[in-house]
């Protein structure tokens, strides 16, 4: 049913004169509608770029210019200078007449532009191709701590790329997804009645959840099969609080938007090995080097460099940053860490910190 909705919406976009060569800015608040619109734009071959109401006008204009957006797909009558607009409600009202749009895919073309600040705060645009995204999604079959019988909810808003990645992985695995309200972090009712048993979030979301719980709370989500946390460093203190108040089925993820998620802990490791982010996924190679670019042995901190088919080729319109981060067949993450003797990656933050 969802696939038919995507294809129908894609046909509506094509009839509105959107083409596979276009970049489409999406400004849709409802998370399910946003996800449907994202899939429809990707289905008909155009490139997605997501904007939000929280962006300042200056920031938005800069990013729209740098990504060469030509269209705005929005759920309100909002006009951005220089963009042609398609109203999402008009697309959703298109009736399925049996002429569904076929998928139009150039594997080497970006399906989405991801906006990231980078370590310098200078906005970077990350083009993720269809082929790279397919590698990322398929990789979940080998590492995700859930299967096609489970239901996943993301505490990260669908307006962010991380949530889209988790939903695409769930689609590949065949599991169900639960689309909750934007900003919600407490899913105790759904976990209690087994409507949800997998949660993905960030440190910020877990801190908000912990802050809302009574001091004497004891594993309020103990029926969870997996609580996955990524996006930033997960301190040992936070891990212990989660174990006490939320669940001990905790999985810590590490990766970057440039590379995709690259590691995951096992619950048996997450509380025992300080600052461990787990073992590297299949298909990833890692090199840890000192300030001279020389590999260091296990137990010695250095800069983390990654190689994988999931890694983007560079930043859009930023040749200097691309040359700095992508060369010698390695992505230079700018992160600091070391490997343990049993192959776990210990993440120590950023090199420039």
């Amino acid at each position: 049913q969802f696939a038919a909705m995507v294809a129908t919406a894609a046909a509506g976009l094509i009839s509105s004169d959107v083409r596979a060569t276009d970049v489409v800015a999406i400004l849709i608040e409802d998370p399910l509608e946003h996800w449907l619109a994202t899939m429809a734009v990707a289905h008909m071959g155009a490139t997605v770029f997501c904007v939000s109401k929280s962006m300042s006008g200056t920031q938005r204009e800069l990013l729209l210019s740098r990504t060469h957006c030509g269209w705005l797909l929005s759920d309100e009558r909002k006009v951005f200078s220089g963009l042609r607009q398609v109203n999402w409600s008009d697309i959703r009202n298109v009736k399925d007449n049996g002429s569904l749009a076929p998928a139009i895919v150039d594997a080497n073309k970006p399906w989405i532009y991801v906006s990231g600040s980078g370590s310098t705060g200078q906005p970077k645009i990350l083009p993720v191709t269809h082929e790279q995204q397919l590698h990322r999604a398929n990789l979940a079959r080998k590492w995700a701590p859930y299967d096609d019988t489970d239901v996943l909810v993301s505490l990260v808003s669908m307006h962010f790329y991380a949530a889209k990645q988790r939903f695409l992985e769930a689609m590949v695995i065949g599991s169900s997804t639960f689309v909750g309200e934007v900003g919600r972090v407490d899913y105790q009712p759904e976990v209690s009645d087994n409507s949800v048993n997998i949660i993905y979030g960030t440190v910020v979301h877990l801190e908000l959840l912990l802050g809302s719980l009574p001091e004497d709370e004891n594993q309020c989500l103990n029926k969870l099969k997996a609580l996955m946390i990524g996006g930033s460093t997960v301190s040992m203190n936070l891990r212990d609080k989660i174990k006490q108040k939320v669940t001990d089925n905790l999985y810590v993820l590490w990766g970057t938007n440039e590379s995709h998620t690259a590691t995951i802990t096992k619950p048996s490791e997450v509380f025992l090995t300080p600052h461990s982010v787990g073992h590297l996924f299949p298909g990833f190679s890692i090199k840890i080097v000192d300030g001279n670019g020389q590999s260091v042995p296990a137990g010695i901190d250095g800069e983390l460099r990654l190689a994988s088919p999931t890694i983007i080729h560079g930043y859009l319109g930023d040749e200097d940053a691309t040359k700095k981060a992508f060369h010698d067949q390695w992505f230079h993450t700018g992160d600091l860490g070391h490997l343990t003797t049993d192959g776990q990656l210990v993440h120590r933050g950023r090199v420039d910190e």
Side-chain angles (χ1 to χ4, degrees):
Q1 184 181 7
F2 184 74
M5 293 167 67
V6 168
T8 299
L13 290 170
I14 292 171
S15 67
S16 298
D17 207 29
V18 180
R19 296 292 176 257
T21 53
D22 292 326
V23 180
V24 180
I26 297 179
L27 179 60
I28 298 174
E29 288 302 299
D30 180 271
L32 181 57
E33 296 296 325
H34 182 101
W35 180 231
L36 177 59
T38 298
M39 291 292 91
V41 172
H43 183 87
M44 52 82 58
T47 300
V48 171
F49 181 68
C50 299
V51 295
S52 70
K53 291 181 178 179
S54 63
M55 285 182 178
S56 69
T58 301
Q59 181 187 30
R60 184 181 63 239
E61 291 300 323
L62 173 64
L63 293 173
L64 291 174
S65 173
R66 290 184 58 189
T67 54
H68 306 290
C69 279
W71 288 88
L72 173 66
L73 181 58
S74 178
D75 54 3
E76 57 184 65
R77 300 291 178 181
K78 197 173 190 72
V79 177
F80 290 168
S81 176
L83 298 187
R84 299 173 67 183
Q85 182 169 350
V86 180
N87 192 274
W88 178 240
S89 62
D90 294 339
I91 299 298
R92 291 289 275 125
N93 288 330
V94 171
K95 301 299 182 183
D96 178 7
N97 61 7
S99 58
L100 301 180
I104 304 171
V105 176
D106 175 353
N108 296 313
K109 182 179 181 293
W111 85 273
I112 192 169
Y113 287 145
V114 180
S115 175
S117 64
S119 60
T120 64
Q122 176 67 28
K124 292 182 173 63
I125 307 298
L126 287 58
V128 181
T129 68
H130 287 269
E131 183 177 25
Q132 289 159 352
Q133 189 64 64
L134 187 61
H135 280 298
R136 296 180 179 200
N138 282 330
L139 194 57
R141 301 177 190 271
K142 300 180 180 179
W143 68 263
Y146 60 91
D147 57 35
D148 60 2
T149 64
D150 297 314
V151 183
L152 176 144
V153 66
S154 172
L155 306 184
V156 179
S157 168
M158 185 55 68
H159 304 86
F160 293 95
Y161 177 61
K164 294 178 175 69
Q165 288 201 117
R166 297 290 90 95
F167 270 46
L168 286 169
E169 290 160 353
M171 290 173 69
V172 166
I173 291 170
S175 61
S176 300
T177 50
F178 185 101
V179 182
E181 300 91 346
V182 174
R184 183 181 174 189
V185 296
D186 191 343
Y187 282 87
Q188 291 185 67
E190 288 80 7
V191 173
S192 295
D193 68 12
N194 299 310
S195 298
V196 166
N197 66 344
I198 308 293
I199 293 179
Y200 169 72
T202 67
V203 167
V204 171
H205 296 108
L206 267 296
E207 288 177 338
L208 287 171
L209 174 60
L210 288 166
S212 71
L213 298 175
E215 284 296 324
D216 59 352
E217 185 65 69
N218 180 37
Q219 294 208 336
C220 65
L221 299 180
N222 61 359
K223 293 180 72 174
L224 272 184
K225 184 174 181 178
L227 171 61
M228 302 184 293
I229 306 179
S232 60
T233 301
V234 185
S235 70
M236 297 307 293
N237 182 52
L238 180 59
R239 299 181 195 202
D240 289 339
K241 288 181 179 179
I242 291 170
K243 182 177 183 180
Q244 174 193 344
K245 290 191 171 187
V246 184
T247 180
D248 52 12
N249 290 324
L250 174 63
Y251 294 79
V252 174
L253 313 178
W254 173 79
T256 68
N257 280 334
E258 289 91 339
S259 67
H260 182 54
T261 308
T263 70
I264 187 171
T265 59
K266 301 173 184 175
S268 60
E269 301 165 339
V270 72
F271 303 108
L272 297 178
T273 304
H275 307 294
S276 171
V277 291
H279 293 267
L280 208 65
F281 292 166
F284 273 86
S285 299
I286 191 167
K287 182 163 66 171
I288 303 179
V289 301
D290 60 22
N292 296 316
Q294 300 300 308
S295 295
V296 298
I300 303 299
D301 285 342
E303 185 201 7
L304 310 181
R305 298 181 181 178
L306 294 174
S308 167
T310 64
I311 295 175
I312 66 171
H313 300 309
Y315 302 113
L316 181 69
D318 196 335
E319 186 175 345
D320 290 341
T322 297
K323 286 181 179 179
K324 183 178 179 180
F326 304 88
H327 56 86
D328 301 326
Q329 298 182 325
W330 293 93
F331 166 52
H332 299 222
T333 67
D335 282 6
L336 185 70
H338 65 261
L339 290 174
T340 63
T341 54
D342 65 346
Q344 293 182 63
L345 178 63
V346 174
H347 185 250
R348 308 283 285 178
R350 296 286 297 174
V351 171
D352 53 13
E353 293 174 350

